[in-house]
Coordinates of all heavy atoms in Angstrom, one line a residue:
L98 N 71.3 -25.7 24.4 CA 71.2 -26.0 25.8 C 72.5 -25.6 26.5 O 72.5 -25.3 27.7 CB 70.9 -27.5 26.0 CG 69.5 -28.0 25.6 CD1 69.4 -29.5 25.7 CD2 68.5 -27.4 26.5
R99 N 73.6 -25.7 25.8 CA 74.9 -25.3 26.5 C 74.9 -23.9 26.9 O 75.4 -23.5 28.0 CB 76.0 -25.5 25.5 CG 77.4 -25.3 26.1 CD 78.6 -25.6 25.2 NE 79.8 -25.4 25.9 CZ 80.4 -24.2 25.9 NH1 79.9 -23.1 25.4 NH2 81.6 -24.1 26.6
G100 N 74.2 -23.0 26.1 CA 74.1 -21.6 26.5 C 73.0 -21.3 27.5 O 72.9 -20.1 28.0
T101 N 72.1 -22.3 27.8 CA 71.0 -22.0 28.7 C 70.9 -23.1 29.8 O 69.8 -23.5 30.1 CB 69.7 -22.0 27.9 OG1 69.5 -23.2 27.2 CG2 69.7 -20.8 26.9
M102 N 72.1 -23.5 30.2 CA 72.1 -24.7 31.2 C 71.4 -24.4 32.5 O 70.8 -25.3 33.0 CB 73.6 -25.0 31.5 CG 74.3 -25.9 30.4 SD 75.8 -26.7 31.0 CE 76.9 -25.4 31.0
D103 N 71.4 -23.2 32.9 CA 70.8 -22.9 34.2 C 69.3 -22.5 34.1 O 68.7 -22.1 35.1 CB 71.6 -21.8 34.9 CG 73.0 -22.3 35.3 OD1 73.1 -23.4 35.6 OD2 73.9 -21.4 35.2
T104 N 68.8 -22.5 32.9 CA 67.3 -22.2 32.7 C 66.5 -23.4 33.2 O 66.8 -24.5 33.0 CB 67.1 -22.0 31.2 OG1 67.9 -20.9 30.7 CG2 65.6 -21.6 31.0
G105 N 65.4 -23.0 33.9 CA 64.5 -24.1 34.4 C 63.1 -23.5 34.7 O 62.8 -22.4 34.3
L106 N 62.3 -24.2 35.5 CA 61.0 -23.8 35.8 C 61.0 -23.2 37.2 O 61.6 -23.8 38.2 CB 60.0 -25.0 35.8 CG 59.7 -25.6 34.4 CD1 58.8 -26.8 34.6 CD2 59.1 -24.6 33.5
E107 N 60.5 -22.0 37.4 CA 60.4 -21.4 38.7 C 59.0 -21.4 39.2 O 58.1 -21.1 38.5 CB 60.9 -19.9 38.5 CG 61.0 -19.2 39.9 CD 61.5 -17.8 39.7 OE1 60.8 -17.0 39.0 OE2 62.6 -17.5 40.2
F108 N 58.9 -21.7 40.5 CA 57.6 -21.8 41.1 C 57.5 -20.8 42.3 O 58.4 -20.8 43.1 CB 57.3 -23.2 41.6 CG 57.2 -24.2 40.5 CD1 58.3 -24.9 40.1 CD2 56.0 -24.5 39.9 CE1 58.3 -25.8 39.1 CE2 55.9 -25.4 38.9 CZ 57.0 -26.1 38.5
K109 N 56.5 -20.0 42.4 CA 56.3 -19.0 43.4 C 54.9 -19.1 44.1 O 54.0 -19.5 43.4 CB 56.4 -17.6 42.9 CG 57.8 -17.3 42.3 CD 57.8 -15.8 41.7 CE 59.2 -15.5 41.2 NZ 59.3 -14.2 40.6
T110 N 54.8 -18.8 45.3 CA 53.5 -18.8 46.0 C 52.6 -17.7 45.7 O 51.4 -17.8 45.7 CB 53.7 -18.9 47.5 OG1 54.4 -17.7 47.9 CG2 54.4 -20.1 48.0
K111 N 53.2 -16.5 45.4 CA 52.4 -15.3 45.0 C 51.4 -14.9 46.0 O 50.3 -14.5 45.6 CB 51.8 -15.5 43.6 CG 52.9 -15.7 42.5 CD 52.4 -15.3 41.1 CE 53.5 -15.3 40.2 NZ 53.1 -15.0 38.8
G112 N 51.6 -15.1 47.2 CA 50.7 -14.6 48.3 C 49.4 -15.2 48.4 O 48.4 -14.6 48.9
R113 N 49.3 -16.5 47.9 CA 48.0 -17.2 48.1 C 47.7 -17.5 49.5 O 48.6 -17.8 50.3 CB 48.0 -18.5 47.3 CG 47.7 -18.3 45.8 CD 47.5 -19.7 45.1 NE 46.2 -20.2 45.4 CZ 46.0 -21.2 46.3 NH1 47.0 -21.7 46.9 NH2 44.8 -21.6 46.5
K114 N 46.4 -17.5 49.9 CA 46.0 -17.9 51.3 C 45.5 -19.3 51.2 O 44.9 -19.7 50.2 CB 45.0 -16.9 51.8 CG 45.5 -15.5 52.0 CD 44.4 -14.6 52.4 CE 44.9 -13.2 52.5 NZ 43.8 -12.2 52.8
P115 N 45.6 -20.1 52.3 CA 45.0 -21.4 52.4 C 43.5 -21.3 52.1 O 42.8 -20.5 52.7 CB 45.3 -21.9 53.8 CG 46.5 -21.1 54.2 CD 46.4 -19.8 53.5
G116 N 43.0 -22.2 51.3 CA 41.5 -22.2 51.1 C 41.1 -21.4 49.8 O 40.0 -21.5 49.4
D117 N 42.1 -20.5 49.3 CA 41.7 -19.8 48.1 C 41.6 -20.7 46.9 O 42.3 -21.7 46.8 CB 42.9 -18.8 47.8 CG 42.9 -17.6 48.7 OD1 41.9 -17.4 49.4 OD2 43.8 -16.8 48.6
P118 N 40.6 -20.5 46.0 CA 40.5 -21.4 44.8 C 41.8 -21.2 43.9 O 42.4 -20.2 43.9 CB 39.3 -20.8 44.1 CG 39.0 -19.5 44.7 CD 39.6 -19.4 46.0
W119 N 42.1 -22.3 43.3 CA 43.3 -22.4 42.4 C 42.9 -21.8 41.1 O 41.8 -22.0 40.5 CB 43.8 -23.8 42.3 CG 44.3 -24.4 43.5 CD1 43.7 -24.5 44.7 CD2 45.6 -24.9 43.7 NE1 44.5 -25.1 45.7 CE2 45.7 -25.3 45.1 CE3 46.7 -25.1 42.9 CZ2 46.8 -25.9 45.6 CZ3 47.9 -25.7 43.5 CH2 47.9 -26.1 44.8
D120 N 43.8 -21.0 40.5 CA 43.6 -20.3 39.3 C 44.3 -21.0 38.1 O 45.5 -21.1 38.1 CB 44.1 -18.9 39.4 CG 43.9 -18.0 38.1 OD1 42.9 -18.3 37.4 OD2 44.7 -17.2 37.8
L121 N 43.5 -21.6 37.2 CA 44.0 -22.3 36.0 C 43.9 -21.4 34.8 O 42.8 -20.8 34.5 CB 43.3 -23.6 35.8 CG 43.8 -24.8 36.5 CD1 42.9 -26.0 36.2 CD2 45.2 -25.2 36.1
Q122 N 45.0 -21.3 34.0 CA 44.9 -20.5 32.8 C 45.8 -21.2 31.8 O 46.8 -21.7 32.0 CB 45.5 -19.1 33.1 CG 45.3 -18.1 32.0 CD 45.7 -16.7 32.4 OE1 46.5 -16.5 33.3 NE2 45.2 -15.7 31.7
M123 N 45.3 -21.1 30.5 CA 46.0 -21.9 29.4 C 46.2 -20.9 28.2 O 45.4 -20.2 27.9 CB 45.2 -23.1 29.0 CG 45.8 -23.9 28.0 SD 44.9 -25.5 27.8 CE 46.1 -26.5 26.9
F124 N 47.4 -21.1 27.6 CA 47.7 -20.5 26.4 C 47.9 -21.6 25.3 O 48.6 -22.5 25.6 CB 49.0 -19.6 26.5 CG 48.9 -18.4 27.4 CD1 49.0 -18.6 28.8 CD2 48.6 -17.2 26.9 CE1 48.9 -17.5 29.6 CE2 48.4 -16.1 27.7 CZ 48.6 -16.2 29.1
V125 N 47.3 -21.4 24.1 CA 47.4 -22.4 23.1 C 47.5 -21.7 21.7 O 47.0 -20.6 21.5 CB 46.2 -23.4 23.1 CG1 44.9 -22.6 22.8 CG2 46.4 -24.5 22.2
D126 N 48.3 -22.3 20.8 CA 48.4 -21.8 19.5 C 48.7 -22.9 18.5 O 49.1 -24.0 18.9 CB 49.5 -20.7 19.4 CG 49.3 -19.8 18.2 OD1 48.3 -19.9 17.5 OD2 50.2 -18.9 18.0
S127 N 48.5 -22.6 17.2 CA 48.9 -23.6 16.2 C 49.5 -22.9 15.0 O 49.2 -21.8 14.8 CB 47.6 -24.4 15.8 OG 46.7 -23.6 15.1
D128 N 50.3 -23.7 14.3 CA 50.7 -23.2 12.9 C 49.7 -23.9 11.9 O 48.8 -24.5 12.3 CB 52.1 -23.6 12.7 CG 52.4 -25.1 12.7 OD1 51.4 -25.9 12.6 OD2 53.6 -25.5 12.7
Y129 N 50.0 -23.7 10.7 CA 49.1 -24.3 9.7 C 49.9 -25.1 8.6 O 50.7 -24.5 7.9 CB 48.2 -23.2 9.0 CG 47.4 -23.8 7.8 CD1 46.5 -24.8 8.0 CD2 47.6 -23.3 6.5 CE1 45.8 -25.4 6.9 CE2 46.9 -23.8 5.5 CZ 46.0 -24.9 5.7 OH 45.3 -25.4 4.6
A130 N 49.7 -26.4 8.7 CA 50.4 -27.3 7.7 C 51.8 -27.0 7.5 O 52.4 -27.1 6.4 CB 49.7 -27.1 6.3
N131 N 52.5 -26.8 8.6 CA 53.9 -26.5 8.6 C 54.8 -27.8 8.6 O 56.0 -27.7 8.4 CB 54.3 -25.6 9.8 CG 55.5 -24.7 9.5 OD1 55.8 -24.4 8.4 ND2 56.2 -24.3 10.6
D132 N 54.2 -28.9 8.8 CA 54.9 -30.2 8.7 C 55.0 -30.6 7.3 O 54.0 -30.9 6.6 CB 54.1 -31.2 9.5 CG 54.7 -32.6 9.4 OD1 55.9 -32.8 9.3 OD2 53.9 -33.6 9.3
R133 N 56.3 -30.7 6.8 CA 56.5 -31.0 5.4 C 56.3 -32.5 5.1 O 56.2 -32.9 4.0 CB 57.9 -30.6 5.0 CG 58.2 -29.1 5.1 CD 57.4 -28.3 4.1 NE 57.6 -26.9 4.3 CZ 58.5 -26.2 3.6 NH1 59.3 -26.9 2.7 NH2 58.6 -24.9 3.7
V134 N 56.3 -33.3 6.2 CA 56.1 -34.8 6.0 C 54.7 -35.1 5.7 O 54.4 -35.8 4.7 CB 56.7 -35.5 7.2 CG1 56.5 -37.0 7.0 CG2 58.1 -35.2 7.5
G135 N 53.8 -34.7 6.6 CA 52.4 -35.1 6.4 C 51.4 -34.0 6.3 O 50.2 -34.2 6.2
R136 N 51.9 -32.7 6.2 CA 51.1 -31.5 6.0 C 50.1 -31.3 7.2 O 49.1 -30.6 7.0 CB 50.3 -31.6 4.7 CG 51.1 -31.7 3.4 CD 52.2 -30.7 3.3 NE 51.7 -29.3 3.2 CZ 52.4 -28.2 3.3 NH1 53.7 -28.3 3.6 NH2 51.8 -27.0 3.1
R137 N 50.5 -31.9 8.3 CA 49.6 -31.6 9.5 C 50.1 -30.3 10.2 O 51.2 -29.9 10.1 CB 49.7 -32.8 10.5 CG 48.9 -34.0 9.9 CD 48.9 -35.1 10.9 NE 50.2 -35.7 11.1 CZ 50.5 -36.6 12.1 NH1 49.6 -36.9 13.0 NH2 51.8 -37.1 12.2
S138 N 49.2 -29.8 11.0 CA 49.5 -28.6 11.7 C 50.0 -29.0 13.1 O 49.8 -30.1 13.6 CB 48.3 -27.7 11.9 OG 47.7 -27.4 10.6
K139 N 50.7 -28.1 13.8 CA 51.2 -28.4 15.1 C 50.5 -27.5 16.2 O 50.3 -26.3 15.9 CB 52.7 -28.1 15.1 CG 53.4 -28.6 16.4 CD 54.9 -28.3 16.3 CE 55.5 -29.4 15.4 NZ 57.0 -29.3 15.4
T140 N 50.3 -28.1 17.3 CA 49.7 -27.4 18.4 C 50.7 -27.3 19.6 O 51.4 -28.2 19.9 CB 48.4 -28.1 19.0 OG1 47.4 -28.2 17.9 CG2 47.8 -27.4 20.2
G141 N 50.8 -26.1 20.1 CA 51.6 -25.9 21.3 C 50.8 -25.3 22.4 O 49.9 -24.5 22.2
W142 N 51.1 -25.7 23.7 CA 50.3 -25.2 24.8 C 51.1 -25.0 26.1 O 52.1 -25.6 26.2 CB 49.1 -26.1 25.1 CG 49.5 -27.4 25.7 CD1 49.5 -27.7 27.1 CD2 49.9 -28.6 25.1 NE1 49.9 -29.0 27.3 CE2 50.2 -29.5 26.1 CE3 50.1 -28.9 23.7 CZ2 50.6 -30.8 25.8 CZ3 50.5 -30.2 23.4 CH2 50.8 -31.1 24.5
L143 N 50.6 -24.1 26.9 CA 51.1 -23.9 28.3 C 50.0 -23.8 29.2 O 49.0 -23.1 29.0 CB 51.9 -22.6 28.3 CG 53.1 -22.4 27.3 CD1 53.4 -20.9 27.2 CD2 54.3 -23.1 27.8
I144 N 50.1 -24.5 30.4 CA 49.1 -24.4 31.4 C 49.7 -23.8 32.7 O 50.7 -24.3 33.1 CB 48.4 -25.7 31.7 CG1 47.6 -26.2 30.5 CG2 47.4 -25.6 32.9 CD1 47.0 -27.6 30.7
F145 N 49.1 -22.7 33.2 CA 49.6 -22.1 34.4 C 48.7 -22.3 35.6 O 47.5 -22.1 35.4 CB 49.8 -20.6 34.2 CG 50.9 -20.2 33.2 CD1 50.7 -20.2 31.9 CD2 52.2 -19.9 33.7 CE1 51.7 -19.9 31.0 CE2 53.2 -19.6 32.9 CZ 53.0 -19.6 31.5
L146 N 49.2 -22.7 36.7 CA 48.4 -22.9 37.9 C 48.9 -21.8 38.9 O 50.1 -21.9 39.3 CB 48.6 -24.3 38.5 CG 47.9 -24.6 39.8 CD1 46.4 -24.5 39.6 CD2 48.3 -26.1 40.2
N147 N 48.1 -20.9 39.2 CA 48.4 -19.8 40.1 C 49.7 -19.0 39.6 O 50.5 -18.6 40.4 CB 48.6 -20.2 41.5 CG 47.4 -20.8 42.1 OD1 46.3 -20.4 41.8 ND2 47.5 -21.8 43.0
G148 N 49.8 -18.9 38.3 CA 50.9 -18.2 37.7 C 52.1 -19.0 37.4 O 53.1 -18.5 36.9
N149 N 52.1 -20.3 37.8 CA 53.3 -21.2 37.7 C 53.0 -22.2 36.6 O 51.9 -22.8 36.5 CB 53.5 -21.9 39.0 CG 53.9 -21.0 40.1 OD1 54.8 -20.2 40.0 ND2 53.2 -21.1 41.2
L150 N 54.0 -22.4 35.7 CA 53.9 -23.3 34.6 C 53.9 -24.7 35.1 O 54.9 -25.2 35.7 CB 55.0 -23.0 33.6 CG 55.0 -23.8 32.3 CD1 53.7 -23.5 31.5 CD2 56.2 -23.5 31.4
V151 N 52.8 -25.5 34.8 CA 52.7 -26.9 35.3 C 52.5 -27.9 34.2 O 52.8 -29.1 34.4 CB 51.6 -27.0 36.3 CG1 51.8 -26.2 37.6 CG2 50.2 -26.6 35.7
S152 N 52.1 -27.5 33.0 CA 52.0 -28.4 31.9 C 52.3 -27.7 30.6 O 51.8 -26.6 30.5 CB 50.6 -29.0 31.9 OG 50.4 -29.9 30.8
F153 N 53.0 -28.3 29.7 CA 53.3 -27.7 28.5 C 53.7 -28.8 27.5 O 53.9 -29.9 27.8 CB 54.5 -26.7 28.6 CG 55.7 -27.3 29.3 CD1 56.6 -28.0 28.6 CD2 55.8 -27.2 30.7 CE1 57.7 -28.6 29.2 CE2 56.9 -27.8 31.3 CZ 57.9 -28.5 30.6
G154 N 53.6 -28.5 26.2 CA 54.0 -29.4 25.2 C 53.7 -28.9 23.8 O 53.2 -27.8 23.6
S155 N 54.1 -29.7 22.8 CA 53.9 -29.4 21.4 C 53.7 -30.7 20.7 O 54.5 -31.6 20.9 CB 55.1 -28.7 20.9 OG 55.0 -28.5 19.5
R156 N 52.7 -30.8 19.9 CA 52.5 -32.1 19.1 C 51.7 -31.8 17.8 O 51.0 -30.8 17.7 CB 51.7 -33.1 20.0 CG 50.3 -32.8 20.2 CD 49.5 -34.0 20.8 NE 50.0 -34.3 22.2 CZ 49.2 -34.2 23.2 NH1 48.0 -33.9 23.1 NH2 49.7 -34.5 24.4
L157 N 51.9 -32.8 16.9 CA 51.2 -32.7 15.6 C 49.7 -33.0 15.8 O 49.4 -33.8 16.7 CB 51.8 -33.6 14.6 CG 53.2 -33.3 14.0 CD1 53.7 -34.4 13.2 CD2 53.1 -32.0 13.2
Q158 N 48.9 -32.3 15.1 CA 47.5 -32.6 15.2 C 47.2 -33.9 14.6 O 47.9 -34.4 13.7 CB 46.7 -31.5 14.5 CG 46.8 -30.1 15.3 CD 46.0 -29.0 14.7 OE1 45.5 -29.1 13.6 NE2 46.0 -27.8 15.3
T159 N 46.1 -34.6 15.0 CA 45.8 -35.9 14.6 C 45.4 -36.0 13.1 O 45.5 -37.1 12.5 CB 44.7 -36.6 15.5 OG1 43.6 -35.7 15.5 CG2 45.3 -36.7 16.9
S160 N 44.8 -34.9 12.5 CA 44.4 -35.0 11.1 C 44.8 -33.7 10.4 O 45.2 -32.7 11.1 CB 42.9 -35.2 11.1 OG 42.2 -34.1 11.7
V161 N 44.7 -33.7 9.1 CA 45.1 -32.5 8.3 C 44.0 -31.5 8.3 O 42.9 -31.8 8.0 CB 45.5 -33.0 6.9 CG1 45.8 -31.8 6.0 CG2 46.6 -34.0 6.9
A162 N 44.3 -30.3 8.7 CA 43.4 -29.2 8.7 C 43.3 -28.6 7.3 O 44.3 -28.5 6.6 CB 43.8 -28.1 9.7
R163 N 42.0 -28.2 6.9 CA 41.8 -27.7 5.6 C 42.0 -26.2 5.5 O 42.0 -25.6 4.4 CB 40.4 -28.1 5.1 CG 40.3 -29.6 4.8 CD 38.9 -30.0 4.5 NE 38.0 -29.8 5.6 CZ 36.7 -30.2 5.7 NH1 36.1 -30.6 4.6 NH2 36.0 -30.0 6.8
S164 N 42.2 -25.5 6.7 CA 42.4 -24.1 6.7 C 43.1 -23.7 8.0 O 43.1 -24.5 8.9 CB 41.1 -23.3 6.6 OG 40.3 -23.6 7.7
S165 N 43.6 -22.5 8.1 CA 44.2 -22.1 9.3 C 43.2 -22.0 10.4 O 43.5 -22.2 11.6 CB 45.0 -20.8 9.1 OG 44.1 -19.8 8.6
T166 N 42.0 -21.6 10.1 CA 40.9 -21.5 11.1 C 40.6 -22.8 11.7 O 40.5 -23.0 12.9 CB 39.6 -20.9 10.4 OG1 39.9 -19.6 9.9 CG2 38.5 -20.7 11.5
E167 N 40.5 -23.9 10.8 CA 40.3 -25.2 11.3 C 41.4 -25.7 12.2 O 41.2 -26.3 13.2 CB 40.1 -26.2 10.1 CG 39.6 -27.6 10.6 CD 39.3 -28.5 9.4 OE1 39.5 -28.1 8.3 OE2 38.9 -29.6 9.7
A168 N 42.6 -25.4 11.8 CA 43.8 -25.7 12.7 C 43.7 -25.1 14.1 O 44.0 -25.7 15.1 CB 45.1 -25.3 12.0
E169 N 43.2 -23.8 14.1 CA 43.1 -23.1 15.4 C 42.0 -23.8 16.2 O 42.1 -23.9 17.4 CB 42.8 -21.7 15.2 CG 43.9 -20.9 14.5 CD 45.1 -20.6 15.4 OE1 45.0 -20.9 16.6 OE2 46.0 -20.0 14.9
Y170 N 40.9 -24.2 15.6 CA 39.8 -24.8 16.3 C 40.2 -26.2 16.9 O 39.8 -26.6 18.0 CB 38.5 -24.9 15.5 CG 37.7 -23.7 15.6 CD1 37.6 -22.8 14.5 CD2 37.0 -23.4 16.7 CE1 36.8 -21.6 14.6 CE2 36.2 -22.2 16.8 CZ 36.1 -21.4 15.7 OH 35.4 -20.2 15.8
M171 N 41.0 -26.9 16.1 CA 41.5 -28.2 16.5 C 42.4 -28.0 17.7 O 42.4 -28.8 18.7 CB 42.2 -28.9 15.4 CG 41.2 -29.4 14.3 SD 42.1 -29.9 12.8 CE 42.9 -31.4 13.3
A172 N 43.2 -27.0 17.7 CA 44.1 -26.7 18.8 C 43.3 -26.3 20.1 O 43.6 -26.7 21.2 CB 45.0 -25.5 18.5
L173 N 42.2 -25.5 19.9 CA 41.3 -25.1 21.0 C 40.6 -26.3 21.6 O 40.5 -26.4 22.8 CB 40.3 -24.1 20.5 CG 39.4 -23.5 21.5 CD1 40.2 -22.8 22.6 CD2 38.4 -22.6 20.9
S174 N 40.2 -27.3 20.8 CA 39.6 -28.5 21.3 C 40.5 -29.3 22.1 O 40.2 -29.8 23.2 CB 39.1 -29.3 20.1 OG 38.6 -30.6 20.5
M175 N 41.8 -29.5 21.6 CA 42.8 -30.2 22.4 C 43.1 -29.5 23.7 O 43.2 -30.1 24.8 CB 44.0 -30.3 21.6 CG 45.1 -31.2 22.2 SD 46.1 -30.5 23.5 CE 46.7 -29.0 22.8
A176 N 43.1 -28.1 23.7 CA 43.4 -27.3 24.9 C 42.3 -27.5 25.9 O 42.6 -27.7 27.1 CB 43.5 -25.9 24.5
A177 N 41.1 -27.5 25.5 CA 40.0 -27.6 26.4 C 40.1 -29.0 27.2 O 39.9 -29.1 28.4 CB 38.6 -27.5 25.7
K178 N 40.4 -30.1 26.4 CA 40.5 -31.4 27.0 C 41.6 -31.5 28.0 O 41.5 -32.0 29.1 CB 40.7 -32.5 25.9 CG 39.4 -32.7 25.1 CD 39.6 -33.8 24.1 CE 40.4 -33.4 22.9 NZ 40.4 -34.4 21.9
E179 N 42.7 -30.8 27.6 CA 43.9 -30.8 28.5 C 43.6 -30.1 29.8 O 44.0 -30.5 30.9 CB 45.1 -30.2 27.8 CG 46.5 -30.4 28.4 CD 47.1 -31.7 28.2 OE1 46.6 -32.5 27.3 OE2 48.0 -32.1 28.9
L180 N 43.0 -28.9 29.7 CA 42.7 -28.1 30.8 C 41.7 -28.8 31.8 O 41.8 -28.7 33.0 CB 42.1 -26.7 30.4 CG 42.1 -25.6 31.4 CD1 43.5 -25.3 32.0 CD2 41.5 -24.4 30.8

Side-chain angles (χ1 to χ4, degrees):
L98 289 172
R99 184 175 183 274
T101 57
M102 280 197 283
D103 295 324
T104 301
L106 293 179
E107 185 179 63
F108 297 91
K109 296 179 180 178
T110 58
K111 295 203 172 180
R113 280 191 75 256
K114 297 176 184 177
D117 285 351
W119 294 56
D120 182 30
L121 272 176
Q122 191 173 21
M123 184 170 195
F124 293 85
V125 64
D126 200 6
S127 70
D128 61 15
Y129 172 58
N131 210 23
D132 171 39
R133 298 296 178 91
V134 179
R136 302 306 295 168
R137 288 184 290 169
S138 305
K139 186 178 286 184
T140 297
W142 73 92
L143 303 161
I144 297 179
F145 289 86
L146 179 62
N147 298 326
N149 298 305
L150 184 60
V151 293
S152 177
F153 52 87
S155 173
R156 71 169 68 117
L157 287 173
Q158 295 179 353
T159 53
S160 58
V161 177
R163 291 174 290 182
S164 67
S165 58
T166 303
E167 187 174 5
E169 294 288 353
Y170 274 109
M171 289 167 68
L173 184 61
S174 171
M175 188 284 304
K178 288 185 283 187
E179 192 80 14
L180 195 59

